């Protein structure tokens, strides 16, 4: 599988993969910023971040957001302390942590929009 993965990267091109993931990451970042109860953690511009967005939703522990996204919207995210409790203490997100959503080459704009709409629905509940 490693051989096939490397062949895919060579065929597709690292620049193409990076550009697609950056575009989707920026779309997600901008969409989440529009939701009043969402707090985004990390750099504020897309140039200084990867396509993984860490966020919190006011009034909800991160584990609850992750469970709702999974159970009600079939969206997989990672919620919690992400093996970095001291970082979360510094961020002020301890003990609940954050919700972490990652987009990759095989995600689409529709996938990102679905996540944004799901978070909007949770925030408005």
């Amino acid at each position: 599988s490693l051989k096939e993965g490397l062949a895919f990267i060579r065929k597709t091109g690292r620049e193409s993969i990076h550009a697609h993931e950056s575009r989707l990451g920026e779309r997600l970042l901008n969409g989440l910023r529009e939701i009043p109860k969402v707090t985004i953690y990390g750099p504020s511009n897309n140039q200084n971040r990867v396509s993984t967005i860490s966020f919190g939703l006011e009034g909800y522990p991160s584990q609850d957001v992750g469970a709702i996204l999974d159970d009600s919207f079939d969206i997989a995210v990672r919620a919690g302390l992400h093996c970095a409790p001291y970082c979360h203490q510094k961020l002020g997100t301890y003990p609940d942590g954050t919700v972490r959503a990652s987009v990759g080459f095989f995600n689409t704009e529709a996938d990102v929009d679905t996540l944004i709409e799901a978070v909007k629905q949770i925030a408005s509940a």
Side-chain angles (χ1 to χ4, degrees):
S1 63
L2 177 59
K3 179 182 172 187
E4 291 303 315
L6 292 172
F8 171 80
I9 291 170
R10 278 196 282 285
K11 178 181 174 189
T12 308
R14 288 183 304 145
E15 295 80 14
S16 177
I17 293 169
H18 180 264
H20 178 76
E21 290 178 356
S22 291
R23 238 182 350 268
L24 292 181
E26 187 168 10
R27 186 180 189 97
L28 178 58
L29 189 62
N30 291 335
L32 290 174
R33 277 190 184 124
E34 294 178 5
I35 305 170
K37 293 182 178 180
V38 168
T39 300
I40 298 171
Y41 298 94
S44 60
N45 64 47
N46 201 40
Q47 289 76 28
N48 294 329
R49 64 184 315 134
V50 295
S51 57
T52 299
I53 312 296
S54 191
F55 68 95
L57 184 57
E58 183 182 316
Y60 290 90
S62 64
Q63 293 85 352
D64 289 357
V65 175
I68 295 167
L69 287 170
D70 183 33
D71 294 342
S72 299
F73 299 95
D74 200 28
I75 297 172
V77 295
R78 182 142 187 245
L81 298 176
H82 315 297
C83 301
Y86 295 120
C87 291
H88 286 281
Q89 286 176 344
K90 182 81 171 167
L91 284 173
T93 57
Y94 188 86
D96 292 324
T98 61
V99 179
R100 191 170 70 190
S102 301
V103 293
F105 185 75
F106 296 105
N107 287 113
T108 64
E109 288 183 358
D111 294 331
V112 171
D113 294 344
T114 298
L115 173 56
I116 293 165
E117 288 304 313
V119 174
K120 282 181 185 176
Q121 286 183 39
I122 298 168
S124 66

